[in-house]
Every structure is written in C-alpha cells, then in structure tokens.
Amino acid sequence: MKVIILAGLAPSTFFAHVSLATALRDAGHQVVVTTADDDVIPVVAAAGLPALPVMEPGLTRHQMIADAGLGGLPEDAVEREYMAGRWFALIEIKPLDALLAFARDWRPDVVIGGMLAYSAPLLAARLGVPYVRQAWDIHPTKLFDAGAAHQLREELAELGFDGLPEPDLMIEIVPPSLRAPETTPAQMMRWIPGNSQTRLEPWMYTKGAGARIGVTVGTTVADYNQYDYVEGLVKNLVTLDAEVALAVSDAAVPVLRERLGENVRMGWAPLDILAPTCDVLVHQSGGSTLMTALSFGVPQVLIPDPGQYRQTEMARRLVEAGAGLMLFPEQATTELVAEKCQEILSDPGYAAAAAGLAKEIAALPLPSEVARRVERLVHSSAAGQGR
C-alpha cells in the first residue's frame, strides 16, 4: 500500500503525523510526507520519513495571501479563525498540480491529510482513492472549515461538491471525556509525541527530590528579545522552592545563562523527554505541546494568544477539566504565573485531573491498530472499484 500524507505548514503540525506514518511504514507500507513549506522538509527527514516539497520555489505564503487580496486578519477571534481557514485553503490548494503530478507517477492508494490540509480531500477525489483526515489536537475545525469551503467553492463545484467532502475515515486524538457531544463518530487514536530529538543531557530526563516546573516558550526569546521577561519568570518560580527547567532555543542560552547562572537547567530539550519530569508545564497553548504534556499527566499553566480562538478554546477546555489554569498574555506577569504554578503544586486535584486524562489517552487504540484500519479501508475501496 502506498500512503501520501499531507502534513501541514509547520513542524508542530507534522509532529502529529509521525506515530501513524511510522506505524504504516513498520507494517510494510510505503509512505511519503508532503509539505508546502521548505522549512518542514528537514524536520520530516529527521524523523526518518521521506519528505517531498510541493511548493513552487520562492513562493511564500505571505505573497500568496497578498496576491489574493484577502486582506488582514479581523480583530474578532472567531472571525479571525474563519479568515484563517480561507488563508490555509489558499495556501494548501496552490501545490495541488504538483501533488497530482507526483501522484500520477507514484500512484498512492490513500491520502491522509491533517486538519487544515485542505488540498487532501481534493487530491483524493481527483485520484479516486480514500481520504483520511487526522486531527492534530483537541480543537474542532468548524470555523476553519467554513472559511476553507468558501475559499474553495469553485474548485469543489468542479468536482461535484457543494462543500468540503467528508473523510472516508476520521482519526481523533482527543481524550473521550473532552469530546464535544455533537462530535461525529471517529476512529480514536492514542497520542504519541513525534517531536524532534537531540543529544540528551541528564537534566532533560531527571529531576531533584522536589517539585519541577517546566517552561517552554519556543524560539521567541531570542527572536523577540524576551530575555527580561524570561529572567523575571524564572526568578519568581525559583522562590516556590521548585526546580525550573527552561526549554529555549540554543540561541537564547548564552544570554540567559549569564543572567540566571549555572543552577537553572536550560536549553533545547525534546518535550517528550522533559515533560514527564515536570510537575507543572508553563507554555503558550500550542496543540502539540498541550497534547504531549497531557499524555504524561502533567497539569499546565497556559498562556494563549487571545487573538487565536483555537488556542484559547483548547486552554479553556483544559481548565474546565481541572487539569490546568489559564492566563492571557496581558495578565501573565511573572509574579502571577508563579502564583498559578504554586496553586497547581499546592492542590493535588490538578495533578489528579491531568492523570485521569492521561489514562484516557493511554487507553485509546495504538497507531499500529489504526494503521490496520487504514489498510481495511483501502482494501474495501479497491474491492468496490473492482481493483
């Protein structure tokens, strides 16, 4: 069986596909991962998967959006998500000709697309093969989909659709207790982190006898000169009599090391290694980070961007489940973040709620089981077409 996976436009979205892609390869199938962003190609290759770039060289997403005249994002977060769906559709549809050219040569048996990989259903329809949609995190894509359907209405009409086609198989990763009542039936799958790896150091996988607070702020520290904020945050957190593990880009380490000294553990660390050592994880509400922490039963302090409806909704659901606390950036002073961490450390209910969600995730079907479900889908489709 040949499987093409459309993994989205960022490493974080690709990470959600690693476990199933690997399971399919381990089952003896051929897998190719495509992306419209050249920066994702080395990340795919580092995961041991074949990586195919499909975007026209030199063409940026910003240029495509500007050329289409879609304008900027609205202030309202809900309207912003609808418009983001149009943006993703515009960017994802651009490489469809390149995908079709590859498919004519390689002849895939099934197309697997991430939640915002809107070229996936069109590619599958053009090829006459099953379409599998795979969730990246716990947020429903209703608003994104509405925007995408509007943006792609002409392309969909050419294929005889009056909206985005339903997948032949929907793969969900959300813990069952967090699923919305109106959610359509899906094949559930256990979340297994697929993040990039590095040479390990002892601080990444061990902790002292006391509490440990993990802080991950991505690459933004060096990029946006956030050294003062991170320094203040760490200094407030260490007053809680807790060890702080600071996951930052290597570029930020020299400056922060000079400011914070040798006792603070810091550097770029694989989250699936670091998270299990933490009693609390502070982060910016990215879906992959949230799911990885959740899979290890780690309660979280989430700082979502209020303009990102997806981030705020995921954070809200985690708070409602009792497994975390949320602060918006304008509230997230270094002192208040430390207070929220102390609240979680002092109340065992947060850890218990997070552990309960981790048990739900662990009980879901493994990617190897879902790979067999994909096999059955492809076989039944081929039989129905007399192939």
Side-chain angles (χ1 to χ4, degrees):
M1 183 171 74
K2 292 183 175 180
V3 184
I4 183 170
I5 298 178
L6 281 59
L9 299 169
S12 58
T13 60
F14 161 68
F15 293 151
H17 292 282
V18 172
S19 63
L20 180 58
T22 302
L24 287 162
R25 290 195 83 197
D26 289 346
H29 304 299
Q30 293 179 267
V31 176
V32 167
V33 178
T34 75
T35 176
D37 192 318
D38 282 348
D39 291 340
V40 183
I41 294 296
V43 181
V44 177
L49 294 165
L52 178 72
V54 291
M55 184 59 78
E56 179 183 331
L59 185 62
T60 69
R61 66 186 73 175
H62 302 292
Q63 180 184 336
M64 283 187 284
I65 292 168
D67 291 347
L70 292 184
L73 287 173
E75 290 293 326
D76 180 77
V78 173
E79 294 178 6
R80 179 183 288 240
E81 187 154 300
Y82 175 89
M83 180 59 77
R86 295 188 64 185
W87 282 20
F88 276 104
L90 175 68
I91 295 166
E92 285 282 347
I93 200 67
K94 194 70 175 179
L96 185 57
D97 287 343
L99 286 167
L100 286 165
F102 167 72
R104 281 193 294 270
D105 292 332
W106 198 64
R107 298 184 180 278
D109 299 295
V110 61
V111 175
I112 299 178
M115 294 303 285
L116 304 182
Y118 290 112
S119 54
L122 278 72
L123 177 63
R126 294 276 189 93
L127 299 176
V129 300
Y131 161 48
V132 177
R133 194 179 196 191
Q134 182 180 342
W136 290 335
D137 52 41
I138 66 173
H139 181 54
T141 57
K142 183 178 180 180
L143 290 170
F144 286 115
D145 290 352
H150 176 76
Q151 184 66 33
L152 299 175
R153 57 194 183 278
E154 293 182 6
E155 290 85 353
L156 291 167
E158 289 177 4
L159 292 168
F161 298 115
D162 57 5
L164 293 175
E166 292 295 322
D168 297 288
L169 178 65
M170 178 69 218
I171 300 173
E172 281 283 8
I173 58 172
V174 61
S177 66
L178 294 185
R179 293 196 81 199
E182 68 275 10
T183 306
T184 56
Q187 167 65 59
M188 304 303 294
M189 185 175 78
R190 177 177 175 176
W191 170 268
I192 296 178
N195 48 260
S196 298
Q197 299 298 316
T198 190
R199 179 173 178 163
L200 298 183
E201 299 178 22
W203 71 268
M204 299 175 185
Y205 55 83
T206 59
K207 57 175 278 192
R212 171 180 263 199
I213 300 171
V215 179
T216 173
V217 285
T219 61
T220 58
V221 176
D223 293 345
Y224 296 100
N225 194 25
Q226 295 175 315
Y227 295 111
D228 289 343
Y229 179 80
V230 174
E231 178 185 5
L233 178 58
V234 172
K235 287 183 175 178
N236 275 286
L237 291 174
V238 297
T239 65
L240 305 180
D241 195 25
E243 177 187 24
V244 178
L246 182 59
V248 292
S249 65
D250 291 337
V253 170
V255 176
L256 290 171
R257 179 68 68 205
E258 183 176 346
R259 293 184 178 210
L260 295 169
E262 295 295 328
N263 292 329
V264 175
R265 309 299 190 184
M266 70 174 73
W268 191 91
L271 192 58
D272 62 322
I273 301 297
L274 181 65
T277 73
C278 298
D279 299 283
V280 185
L281 187 69
V282 179
H283 65 94
Q284 296 165 308
S285 304
S288 182
T289 302
L290 183 150
M291 286 300 303
T292 300
L294 207 55
S295 69
F296 291 111
V298 182
Q300 304 168 49
V301 174
L302 305 114
I303 310 174
D305 179 349
Q308 297 285 341
Y309 182 70
R310 170 174 163 268
Q311 287 189 3
T312 57
E313 280 299 291
M314 288 194 295
R316 179 188 60 78
R317 292 171 70 186
L318 207 63
V319 170
E320 289 179 352
L325 294 170
M326 177 174 64
L327 293 167
F328 288 119
E330 65 270 17
Q331 304 170 312
T333 63
T334 59
E335 296 83 5
L336 192 52
V337 173
E339 287 181 22
K340 296 299 183 183
C341 288
Q342 181 61 63
E343 181 178 342
I344 288 176
L345 292 173
S346 301
D347 184 347
Y350 291 101
L357 292 171
K359 288 181 180 178
E360 291 185 33
I361 292 172
L364 295 176
L366 288 167
S368 56
E369 299 175 62
V370 179
R372 289 193 289 273
R373 175 73 187 276
V374 175
E375 290 174 352
R376 293 195 296 271
L377 172 66
V378 171
H379 291 159
S380 63
S381 174
Q385 296 180 30
R387 290 190 279 139

